[in-house]
Amino acid sequence: MLTSALRVGVVGAGAMGFDHIKRLSGTITGAVVSAVIEPDEDRRDIALAHAPEAQGFASVDEAIAAGALDAALIATPGQFHEAGLLTCLQAGLPILCEKPLTKDPESSWRVVEAEIAGGKKLVQVGFMRRFDPEYEQLRELIASGRVGELLMIHAVHRNPSVPDSYDQPMLINDSVVHEFDVGPWLAGGSVTSVEVRHGRRNPNTPAHLKEPILVLMELDNGVLIDVEMNVSVRFGYQVATEAVMADGIARIGQPSGLQVWQNATFSIPEHADFTTRFTQAYDRQVQAWVTAARRFLTGEAAEAVAGPSAWDGYRVAVCCAAGVTALDRSGPVPVELPPVPEFYR
Amino acid sequence: MLTSALRVGVVGAGAMGFDHIKRLSGTITGAVVSAVIEPDEDRRDIALAHAPEAQGFASVDEAIAAGALDAALIATPGQFHEAGLLTCLQAGLPILCEKPLTKDPESSWRVVEAEIAGGKKLVQVGFMRRFDPEYEQLRELIASGRVGELLMIHAVHRNPSVPDSYDQPMLINDSVVHEFDVGPWLAGGSVTSVEVRHGRRNPNTPAHLKEPILVLMELDNGVLIDVEMNVSVRFGYQVATEAVMADGIARIGQPSGLQVWQNATFSIPEHADFTTRFTQAYDRQVQAWVTAARRFLTGEAAEAVAGPSAWDGYRVAVCCAAGVTALDRSGPVPVELPPVPEFYR
Amino acid sequence: MLTSALRVGVVGAGAMGFDHIKRLSGTITGAVVSAVIEPDEDRRDIALAHAPEAQGFASVDEAIAAGALDAALIATPGQFHEAGLLTCLQAGLPILCEKPLTKDPESSWRVVEAEIAGGKKLVQVGFMRRFDPEYEQLRELIASGRVGELLMIHAVHRNPSVPDSYDQPMLINDSVVHEFDVGPWLAGGSVTSVEVRHGRRNPNTPAHLKEPILVLMELDNGVLIDVEMNVSVRFGYQVATEAVMADGIARIGQPSGLQVWQNATFSIPEHADFTTRFTQAYDRQVQAWVTAARRFLTGEAAEAVAGPSAWDGYRVAVCCAAGVTALDRSGPVPVELPPVPEFYR
Amino acid sequence: MLTSALRVGVVGAGAMGFDHIKRLSGTITGAVVSAVIEPDEDRRDIALAHAPEAQGFASVDEAIAAGALDAALIATPGQFHEAGLLTCLQAGLPILCEKPLTKDPESSWRVVEAEIAGGKKLVQVGFMRRFDPEYEQLRELIASGRVGELLMIHAVHRNPSVPDSYDQPMLINDSVVHEFDVGPWLAGGSVTSVEVRHGRRNPNTPAHLKEPILVLMELDNGVLIDVEMNVSVRFGYQVATEAVMADGIARIGQPSGLQVWQNATFSIPEHADFTTRFTQAYDRQVQAWVTAARRFLTGEAAEAVAGPSAWDGYRVAVCCAAGVTALDRSGPVPVELPPVPEFYR
């Protein structure tokens, strides 16, 4: 039986989980953090201090056994997602799972199968760009046809720097992963190949990385998407997209806000890192999921999902696998997907 | 005794009150609409349909007698504010009162006296611009001195049209009223005179109005503020401010978001009316007030206010009275204020 | 008899005259500097080095007596303009006279009378903003009525600093003087009053000045113009104008060109001083005048003027006199002009 | 012996040649059109009407034999460039040759050999983008290293439509040709491969074309350049470039000028076609060439060139040949160039 607020168990209290706990406690309406599920005791205690109504647990199983949650927000490192997802699916819980769905196409497919077997759409994947107001406006514009058919997309994803733990495949799995979701979502198609081209190596780039790269995606509807992926470009954080349509062009992610003239320069502050660029997208994503999960649990809605599905998560996992292959190969790497299961149509 | 969520009684279920009810129910965390106080039965019923946990009342007295609210959000027409404020102050309730505080300086002064007599800061006035992120950034920049001392402010407030009920004094009391609050808040001073100059009459202007006008405010620190007030400028809604400092210039309220090239034109959608421009400011204002009121009621904070005070409301009422006089007089009309009471320093 | 190139005598080889000599020699087509008229020998010699086909003279009379010029470009300090103008008018020469026409309304009137007496329009005044492409576009937009009638203009004129010789009346006579020409030119009316309001004094302002100021001009068609005049605003040089029309707004003078993202900032270089902002306007002004003067001298055109006339120069002189009075007086100072002489209609 | 103005013979009086004749007659200083060389009598006569001091000729040989020109501006269709170039080189004339240098690498190589044989640099190629102020600023910024090493360039070249005579190879030879010059000029390297990828076909595209395309150029210094080439994008004309450097980003070709708010939209006029975008670049190119040619002819300078050389023209011809091959082939097509001849270093 659902209490008036959705009792959310947050799985993983690292940086991302901690951020979601603060969001659920301080910003989101209709939810309360009822469980913090984290094996590391110190992290768990710090998180609990920000979730006054939550109990701590070391594992998802324990939390479910204690009846401590109505829904789960999974924010562990990606390699642990599959286990958490399968357990929560087994328990019939609505789930918001941080991206990526799982670490590879095979495990993502197992999640898809488990969800289909359960017969209810319970899994939403945390591709939060879909909740960014500008991405929404761009998608609406493309879909409206007011500027004609979409022909090409140019995207850029720029970070000032990355931690030492960031390795070459993470260019794809951690960063371009967003474009594999949001590109087709904007373009209304499915990726058929991925190619990686290399720019001149950035002298700022850590020794074990080779970037920036230009990723080229072909879609089954003919749309070509190019993505500049750049993780050492010092100046700040920028995610921007330009859509080339038959009759004109549209662009999002441009500078906005306070304008200053000083020292013979006009300037607008740009994002220094990712924390500010997508604040609103994260808030709106979690709010949409909380509302959907509540409606599902009260029987008002047949599914608990208000965003990217497990199938979207699987599709992206297949693209990422192709993208990682493409890092070291010349020419396009094909992306082959099974037909969309009836369940997700 | 405070329940976990702040039980808010919304006084007035017209357009503004209805909007606040939806905001408190669907966006704000930590609050619930517990009472809808509205003499008109139809309006009250419509509002109650959006506030599942609220009871309806015809008067503030009844709602207080029933113990139905922890705090009041007053959104009746301005001429009824005084009565609602005095009743709620008497009951010791935290209050968020829509602007203006009251309809004239005398009644605003009575509210100030009543609040001082009660010994607790309970009244916040709904000058929501202070919660707009760009206004906050501009104020921070000015206060920092990074671009030197503030010298002048140019402001524009443009509406596409106004309803028939909008009369000449409302140019001041309904529209410029915001600038009387936010101008000194940005500039760190107090208004000493108000003058009104007239532009060429807009052919779009209704017959009973004469506008646009240029309002000039002098501040006690020497800063000069000019405000273009324009209520028939068809193109849309725009509120923008440019601050002239010793070493440079800063500007807020400029176009942002989706950029489109079509028909040999680059364009950005501009606000069509006021509903979209300050959405975030309204949300942040109410959230800040809810949080402050909860902290006050649990004893964590000594006052229930996180924004403009009753004293700010009084000061603005005095400016508005001068501004209305200035509509029909040439030259500056002096603004005389008593010293800031100790209570508000 | 006109040679194929217009033989221009440049009167005055100070900074402004020197600049015009370089422009006529290196940029303008159809003209050659044939005379440099400058009493100071050193200056004259430096200038002659940039004008390979020119002779030097100490006075206009000598140059005319020597038949050394077809037309005169007067660029002496303003107090010497009257004498040069009257001498050249007497000789029937086409004249481009740097602003201001002369130093006061009385002497400007004498120039107007002399020109009328001669029966030919020979005098063009160097209000070069009329040749700036953006000012031209703004004027065309206003005149077209596509955005409705003009109601108000907001203008800003900002300098980083001024030399020690710059005194308080120069705020009007040297700087606002441009707005007295271009404002009515944009608005299609005539100035009826001038008022000066003071902002907070800029700590950068030299001790003998009091600025920034806000100048208010009323026009006979009801349009109200405000001008921020600011000569110590460090950041750089900016001249911008915003036109408020019945149905919308237009703005010129905004940042353009190379865009750079660096250090968490998006920026566009702004003009550091006046030399770059109006380069194109100066070039186009002189080219238009050279072409008009050639057509006049070959008999193809009845007048030698392709821009602001002596009458415009007189009108502006009257406004400046009122503006200087307004610097020390409160309230509007009336501007009274005789009817436009038939000759200039 | 050089007269004071450079006597320019314009070869070809089609649209481009006619435009240059008007430019040389009405805008450029120090030059006069002395010969119009055009076999079509009607065209020649129309052109002569705009060149008052010119004689007409049917061939370059005749004009040279008549001693009618000091220098030649070649603006015939590309397939006739080689003959004109070789004849003028033979005569030792300074030449400004419209792009492309010639129609293929082999003929361009013959021009290079002829110029080297003559021992003087006489040929400048009309890649006018190098004279656009924003391209100049971008190149200066890149070369300065202030934003770190250049890593990638993203370019777009968009046309609203093309005439029926525009065929598929012209995507490369007429349009991308500019990027083959200006890209390496910005990047300080040489092209080593060209690849063409296809976007979704634009429904506006004429039946015999397949576009838009994305052209990828690799440079020998590692810089990767991508160019969106789009000739049916209805909205207008746009040429823009974004340089990705180690520490930040720079961008040129963005909207500027008059800003208008109307109909709930902020807008800036964009170029409708190519005639306005590069006006200043064409003027500055021809002026620079005239000045250089004069200095060469008077012996002040050793070469008659102030811009892209015949070698640049040859390099671009090789890139174009590779680009045309790449239109129908998957993967990069190598670009092989001989070492830069000593003569051009």
Side-chain angles (χ1 to χ4, degrees), chain B residues 16-229:
Chain B
M16 205 73 212
F18 187 58
D19 196 47
H20 279 303
I21 287 167
K22 287 188 291 183
R23 178 175 293 110
L24 284 161
S25 300
T27 307
I28 301 301
T29 190
V32 61
V33 179
S34 59
V36 172
I37 300 157
E38 165 63 56
D40 182 295
E41 207 169 331
D42 288 349
R43 280 193 185 162
R44 194 169 65 220
D45 288 348
I46 293 169
L48 284 167
H50 287 78
E53 307 183 45
Q55 291 175 268
F57 298 93
S59 75
V60 179
D61 287 315
E62 291 173 51
I64 292 175
L69 68 168
D70 299 325
L73 194 164
I74 298 181
T76 55
Q79 69 264 38
F80 305 122
H81 283 187
E82 184 186 3
L85 282 159
L86 295 177
T87 303
C88 293
L89 278 172
Q90 186 66 30
L93 297 177
I95 305 160
L96 176 59
C97 180
E98 262 303 322
K99 62 92 192 164
L101 180 60
T102 66
K103 70 181 168 43
D104 56 30
E106 296 70 27
S107 51
S108 286
W109 183 252
R110 289 191 290 269
V111 173
V112 161
E113 286 185 318
E115 188 179 42
I116 293 176
K120 294 267 167 66
K121 270 193 224 162
L122 296 175
V123 178
Q124 180 172 332
V125 186
F127 292 120
M128 81 295 171
R129 288 194 190 171
R130 297 197 191 186
F131 293 90
D132 175 70
E134 291 194 17
Y135 272 102
E136 282 187 350
Q137 289 163 27
L138 180 57
R139 186 174 189 248
E140 189 280 324
L141 182 70
I142 293 170
S144 76
R146 288 197 302 273
V147 193
E149 274 181 27
L150 181 70
L151 310 177
M152 283 183 172
I153 288 176
H154 307 300
V156 302
H157 183 156
R158 292 158 178 162
N159 285 280
S161 60
V162 281
D164 285 346
S165 57
Y166 192 98
D167 63 21
Q168 189 74 359
M170 291 172 80
L171 281 168
I172 301 297
N173 289 328
D174 248 54
S175 301
V176 179
V177 60
H178 282 293
E179 307 288 350
F180 286 137
D181 177 65
V182 84
W185 178 73
L186 289 169
S190 186
V191 178
T192 58
S193 79
V194 178
E195 181 176 359
V196 174
R197 298 291 296 261
H198 291 266
R200 188 179 198 173
R201 196 168 171 282
N202 192 334
N204 301 327
T205 299
H208 62 289
L209 293 183
K210 186 173 172 219
E211 56 92 38
I213 56 175
L214 187 76
V215 179
L216 297 160
M217 288 182 243
E218 285 175 319
L219 267 58
D220 57 358
N221 59 9
V223 172
L224 181 67
I225 301 177
D226 58 84
V227 182
E228 176 201 322
M229 188 65 238

Side-chain angles (χ1 to χ4, degrees), chain C residues 100-229:
Chain C
L101 181 60
T102 67
K103 68 178 169 43
D104 55 31
E106 295 71 28
S107 51
S108 287
W109 184 250
R110 289 191 290 270
V111 173
V112 161
E113 286 184 319
E115 188 179 41
I116 292 175
K120 293 267 168 65
K121 270 192 224 163
L122 295 174
V123 179
Q124 180 171 331
V125 187
F127 292 120
M128 82 294 171
R129 287 193 191 172
R130 296 197 192 187
F131 294 90
D132 176 70
E134 290 194 16
Y135 272 103
E136 283 187 350
Q137 289 163 27
L138 181 57
R139 186 173 189 248
E140 190 278 325
L141 182 71
I142 293 170
S144 76
R146 289 198 301 275
V147 193
E149 275 180 26
L150 181 69
L151 310 177
M152 284 183 171
I153 287 177
H154 307 299
V156 302
H157 183 157
R158 292 159 178 160
N159 284 279
S161 60
V162 282
D164 285 347
S165 57
Y166 192 98
D167 63 20
Q168 190 74 1
M170 291 173 79
L171 281 168
I172 301 296
N173 289 328
D174 249 54
S175 301
V176 179
V177 60
H178 282 294
E179 306 288 351
F180 286 137
D181 177 64
V182 84
W185 178 73
L186 289 170
S190 187
V191 178
T192 57
S193 79
V194 178
E195 181 176 1
V196 173
R197 298 290 296 262
H198 291 266
R200 187 179 198 172
R201 196 168 171 284
N202 191 335
N204 300 327
T205 298
H208 61 289
L209 293 183
K210 186 173 172 218
E211 56 92 39
I213 57 174
L214 187 77
V215 180
L216 296 161
M217 289 184 241
E218 285 176 319
L219 267 59
D220 57 358
N221 60 8
V223 171
L224 180 68
I225 301 178
D226 57 86
V227 181
E228 176 200 322
M229 188 65 240

Side-chain angles (χ1 to χ4, degrees), chain D residues 104-340:
Chain D
D104 56 31
E106 295 70 27
S107 51
S108 287
W109 183 250
R110 289 190 291 269
V111 173
V112 162
E113 286 184 318
E115 189 179 42
I116 292 175
K120 292 269 166 64
K121 270 192 223 163
L122 296 175
V123 178
Q124 180 172 332
V125 187
F127 292 120
M128 83 295 170
R129 287 193 191 173
R130 297 197 191 187
F131 293 89
D132 176 69
E134 291 194 16
Y135 272 102
E136 282 187 350
Q137 289 163 28
L138 181 57
R139 186 173 189 248
E140 188 279 325
L141 182 72
I142 293 169
S144 75
R146 289 198 301 274
V147 193
E149 275 182 26
L150 181 70
L151 311 177
M152 283 183 172
I153 287 178
H154 308 298
V156 302
H157 183 157
R158 293 160 178 162
N159 284 279
S161 60
V162 281
D164 284 348
S165 57
Y166 192 99
D167 63 21
Q168 188 75 358
M170 292 172 81
L171 281 169
I172 301 297
N173 289 328
D174 248 53
S175 301
V176 179
V177 60
H178 283 293
E179 307 288 350
F180 286 137
D181 176 64
V182 85
W185 178 74
L186 288 170
S190 187
V191 177
T192 57
S193 79
V194 178
E195 180 176 1
V196 174
R197 298 290 296 261
H198 291 266
R200 186 178 196 173
R201 196 168 171 283
N202 191 335
N204 301 327
T205 298
H208 62 288
L209 293 183
K210 186 174 172 219
E211 56 91 37
I213 56 175
L214 187 78
V215 179
L216 296 161
M217 289 183 240
E218 285 177 318
L219 267 59
D220 58 357
N221 59 9
V223 171
L224 180 68
I225 300 179
D226 58 84
V227 181
E228 176 200 322
M229 188 64 238
N230 198 328
V231 298
S232 311
V233 64
R234 292 297 178 261
F235 86 86
Y237 180 82
Q238 186 182 31
V239 169
T241 290
E242 185 164 320
V244 181
M245 288 165 279
D247 300 333
I249 308 293
R251 187 164 69 177
I252 60 170
Q254 298 304 302
S256 67
L258 180 71
Q259 305 182 333
V260 179
W261 282 258
Q262 198 170 15
N263 300 328
T265 306
F266 166 82
S267 68
I268 300 178
E270 185 52 281
H271 296 282
D273 56 46
F274 78 96
T275 56
T276 54
R277 171 66 177 88
F278 286 112
T279 306
Q280 213 179 343
Y282 277 111
D283 290 350
R284 298 179 76 218
Q285 170 192 249
V286 174
Q287 186 66 66
W289 172 70
V290 163
T291 302
R294 293 178 74 187
R295 287 169 46 85
F296 171 77
L297 292 172
T298 59
E300 289 168 84
E303 58 184 64
V305 171
S309 68
W311 175 252
D312 292 314
Y314 169 71
R315 293 203 301 183
V316 169
V318 176
C319 290
C320 283
V324 171
T325 302
L327 278 171
D328 300 314
R329 185 189 291 185
S330 65
V333 173
V335 171
E336 277 157 29
L337 286 166
V340 185

Side-chain angles (χ1 to χ4, degrees), chain A:
Chain A
M1 176 63 199
L2 180 69
T3 62
S4 68
L6 183 75
R7 297 178 311 134
V8 178
V10 176
V11 187
M16 206 71 211
F18 187 59
D19 197 46
H20 279 303
I21 287 166
K22 287 189 291 182
R23 177 174 294 110
L24 284 162
S25 300
T27 307
I28 301 301
T29 190
V32 62
V33 178
S34 59
V36 171
I37 299 154
E38 165 64 55
D40 182 293
E41 205 169 331
D42 289 348
R43 280 193 186 165
R44 194 168 65 219
D45 288 348
I46 292 170
L48 284 167
H50 287 79
E53 307 182 45
Q55 291 175 267
F57 297 94
S59 75
V60 179
D61 287 316
E62 291 172 51
I64 290 175
L69 68 167
D70 300 324
L73 194 165
I74 298 180
T76 55
Q79 69 265 38
F80 304 124
H81 283 187
E82 182 185 5
L85 281 159
L86 295 176
T87 304
C88 293
L89 277 172
Q90 187 66 31
L93 297 178
I95 305 160
L96 177 59
C97 180
E98 262 303 321
K99 61 93 192 166
L101 179 61
T102 67
K103 69 181 169 42
D104 56 31
E106 295 71 28
S107 50
S108 286
W109 182 250
R110 289 191 290 270
V111 173
V112 162
E113 287 184 319
E115 189 179 40
I116 293 175
K120 293 268 166 65
K121 271 191 222 163
L122 296 175
V123 178
Q124 181 172 330
V125 186
F127 292 120
M128 82 295 169
R129 287 194 191 173
R130 297 197 191 188
F131 294 90
D132 176 69
E134 291 194 16
Y135 272 102
E136 283 187 351
Q137 289 163 28
L138 181 57
R139 185 173 191 247
E140 188 280 325
L141 183 70
I142 293 170
S144 76
R146 288 197 302 273
V147 193
E149 274 181 27
L150 182 71
L151 310 177
M152 283 183 171
I153 287 177
H154 307 299
V156 301
H157 183 157
R158 292 159 178 162
N159 285 279
S161 61
V162 281
D164 285 347
S165 57
Y166 191 99
D167 63 21
Q168 189 75 359
M170 290 172 82
L171 281 169
I172 302 296
N173 289 328
D174 248 52
S175 300
V176 179
V177 60
H178 282 294
E179 307 288 352
F180 286 137
D181 177 64
V182 84
W185 178 73
L186 288 170
S190 188
V191 178
T192 57
S193 79
V194 178
E195 180 176 1
V196 173
R197 297 291 295 262
H198 291 266
R200 188 179 196 173
R201 196 167 171 284
N202 192 335
N204 301 326
T205 298
H208 61 288
L209 293 184
K210 186 173 172 218
E211 56 91 37
I213 57 174
L214 187 77
V215 179
L216 296 161
M217 290 183 240
E218 285 176 319
L219 267 58
D220 57 358
N221 59 9
V223 171
L224 180 67
I225 300 178
D226 59 83
V227 182
E228 176 200 323
M229 188 65 238
N230 199 328
V231 299
S232 312
V233 64
R234 291 299 178 261
F235 86 86
Y237 180 83
Q238 187 182 29
V239 169
T241 291
E242 186 165 318
V244 181
M245 289 164 278
D247 300 332
I249 308 294
R251 186 163 71 176
I252 60 171
Q254 299 304 301
S256 67
L258 180 70
Q259 305 182 335
V260 179
W261 282 259
Q262 197 169 16
N263 301 327
T265 306
F266 166 82
S267 69
I268 301 178
E270 185 53 278
H271 296 281
D273 57 45
F274 78 96
T275 57
T276 54
R277 171 66 177 88
F278 287 113
T279 308
Q280 214 180 343
Y282 277 111
D283 289 351
R284 296 179 77 219
Q285 170 192 249
V286 174
Q287 187 67 65
W289 172 69
V290 163
T291 301
R294 291 177 77 187
R295 286 170 46 84
F296 171 77
L297 291 172
T298 59
E300 288 167 83
E303 59 185 63
V305 171
S309 67
W311 175 252
D312 292 314
Y314 169 71
R315 293 202 302 183
V316 169
V318 175
C319 291
C320 284
V324 170
T325 301
L327 278 171
D328 301 314
R329 184 189 292 185
S330 65
V333 174
V335 171
E336 277 158 30
L337 286 166
V340 186
E342 185 68 37
F343 185 78
Y344 292 104
R345 270 177 212 167

